[in-house]
Amino acid sequence: MNYREGEPIRDTKAPDGPIEERWEKRKFAARLVNPANKRKLSVIVVGTGLAGGSAAATLGELGYQVTSFCYQDSPRRAHSIAAQGGINAAKNYRGDGDSVYRLFYDTVKGGDFRARESNVYRLAQVSVNIIDQAVAQGVPFAREYGGLLDTRSFGGAQVSRTFYARGQTGQQLLLGAYQALERQIAAGTVTMHARHEMLELIVSDGRARGVVVRDMVTGEIESHLADAVVLATGGYGNVFFLSTNAKGCNTSAIWRAHRKGALFANPCYTQIHPTCIPVSGEYQSKLTLMSESLRNDGRVWVPLEAGDARPPAAIPEDERDYYLERIYPAFGNLVPRDIASRAAKNVCDGGRGVGPGGLGVYLDFADASTRLGRDAVEEKYGNLFEMYERITGEDPYAQPMRIYPAVHYTMGGLWVDYDLQSSIPGLFVVGEANFSDHGANRLGASALMQGLADGYFVLPTTIGDYLAGARDFGPVDEVSVAEAEIAVRDRIQRLLAVDGDRTADSFHRELGKLMWDYCGMERTEASLTKALARIPELRAEFWRNVKVSGTNEELNQALERAGRVADFFDLAELMCLDALHRTESCGGHFRAESQDADGEALRDDENFAYVAAWEHTPEGPVLHREDLEYAYVKMSQRSYK
């Protein structure tokens, strides 16, 4: 797959001056919309997770007329509910040296110096407000004996800044946002459409002005118009088929926007989470995450000798390798996710893995149970331990958990500026659907932080600046709406007309294995070249031989899945192209050709210190580079030793 170079781009919305003053400076410079005029302006929000739910609730509370869409049967079933371990905030309640600057620095360093300074500093600043917002909504954060909010540590940090609600933090935060959203639905400022899937973006006169959706129950194709569109549709990890994402998570909304002109940034930056339950068979359709919070008290180890198949209790201490503690003494088991994942892969590749196929390492709580007592461990992690036992049939109080890395989060996404606006005016992108805050690797407990920061605090300010000029937008072009609807109907009919003999899931599984093998934890020029040769062949076979039973005019999950898999093929190709062109290693993008003597990721700052923003054109992808400049942190080789 060939590409050509386009003009460089840059973020023109980020203010200059001292970094700690930039967000206040931007907020003051933003144009305002008076309350009476807000009632005349409309916004579409697609997605109801933490980013979308908080955005719709806040925009509704401000007085805008909001139309919200989700493909689930309820907004509270959004995938944010699956987040377990916690949410970061620079509150420094522990008095352990945390600060806004330290959270900013840890995030930039954790992302391997591939994120924007301005965006990350703002995220750290806003983090302190999120906890207050959530507490006011009744989110039941864990508390210490004296009643103060408790915190724990997560990877990539040496301070305890992660607030949590046992192993259900995402669920509790989502319920808080959901209640705020329902309040606005009752007030009439938000109109909710569940069981609707966005299949096309409507662009009129160069601006995003609406979406085409399919009623997933009746099959009806509907167009909805507004003055601005917000995408909060999550990441694209399910391109790998097996991931920790819910099976419904997909890329279609952001990919449709990309096809309409929105730049797609850093698609190759995929996060592999180190603490997932290992694959147990070909029958699986997804993997289960075990929270990173478990690495606070659990110790990761493998047998010292390759091929040691003894039960863990039979392996004495001096014949165990607590490899993260050995290699990274400063951070130990709390190194960032990309480093912990590669370390687990390395020991398993060396024949020291445990469990079926040797694809696992131990996460052991014996020391914690002795030090703290079982009751204390159960109070912190009880529901996670119960989940593990239900899935594996093994009691983690009696024997170590078995874990192995799996696809979890995607740092890439639609390119946005400091205002969270894409390259299409009027199209804003929040949460995991954008690329903005995490660089090449996300620190644990920062996804919830970014989603709520974007939805509650950033977007409501920046979208107001855009909507202040709405009187000049003009009416939506009817031809644009008709063309978008025709494109959706034609695509649906094309899928239904193939009438082959392979399910969409079988194609998805084959694509996912190809991506895992050739563009997974480790990539090479040879593997990526193979993937780029095979993906077009598999995609062509899909369009010749996929079987989509039923019709459009009904509940048809086969049709839903086929449309999503078709988009995954196109995205997978761009991911591999992005990974092939970026010959350095950084964060979650590990090119085997670019590593230091210790096997760590070796960046090439001279040639790759930029955001790779891809434009879709009929002639093929066009690469636009946004140079990354660092004035407040120094780019250096990451060390957690």
Side-chain angles (χ1 to χ4, degrees), residues 23 45 60 70 97 107 184 212 299 316 343 401 480 496 569 608 630:
W23 178 226
V45 180
C70 70
T107 304
Q184 296 308 313
V212 179
R299 300 180 70 192
M401 293 181 179
S480 299
L496 291 168
F569 276 117
F608 290 100
Y630 291 94

Side-chain angles (χ1 to χ4, degrees), residues 201-216:
L201 179 72
I202 296 172
V203 178
S204 174
D205 195 26
R207 299 179 184 272
R209 297 298 301 272
V211 295
V212 179
V213 299
R214 178 179 180 269
D215 184 322
M216 296 165 66

Side-chain angles (χ1 to χ4, degrees), residues 387-404:
M387 181 171 68
Y388 180 86
E389 184 172 10
R390 286 187 178 185
I391 292 172
T392 65
E394 301 171 3
D395 180 3
Y397 293 105
Q399 63 189 83
M401 293 181 179
R402 288 180 297 107
I403 58 171
Y404 192 72

Side-chain angles (χ1 to χ4, degrees), residues 58 151 154 192 201 244 253 289 317 324 337 340 343 367 373 379 389 399 406 466-467 505 555 563 573 581 590 601:
T58 307
T151 56
F154 260 60
M192 185 69 229
L201 179 72
T244 65
L289 171 71
E317 280 290 313
L324 291 178
R337 292 174 176 178
D367 284 0
E379 182 179 354
E389 184 172 10
Q399 63 189 83
Y466 173 78
L467 291 171
D505 276 359
L555 176 64
E573 195 169 23
H581 109 277
F590 189 77

Side-chain angles (χ1 to χ4, degrees), residues 328-406:
Y328 308 101
F331 282 72
N333 295 300
L334 288 172
V335 292
R337 292 174 176 178
D338 59 317
I339 291 175
S341 294
R342 284 197 297 276
K345 181 181 185 298
N346 289 340
V347 296
C348 290
D349 288 350
R352 294 194 288 150
V354 301
L359 293 178
V361 300
Y362 288 128
L363 182 61
D364 197 336
F365 284 83
D367 284 0
S369 296
T370 300
R371 185 179 77 254
L372 304 171
R374 173 166 171 162
D375 289 347
V377 172
E378 191 168 354
E379 182 179 354
K380 280 186 173 182
Y381 310 114
N383 64 308
L384 296 171
F385 278 43
E386 180 183 353
M387 181 171 68
Y388 180 86
E389 184 172 10
R390 286 187 178 185
I391 292 172
T392 65
E394 301 171 3
D395 180 3
Y397 293 105
Q399 63 189 83
M401 293 181 179
R402 288 180 297 107
I403 58 171
Y404 192 72

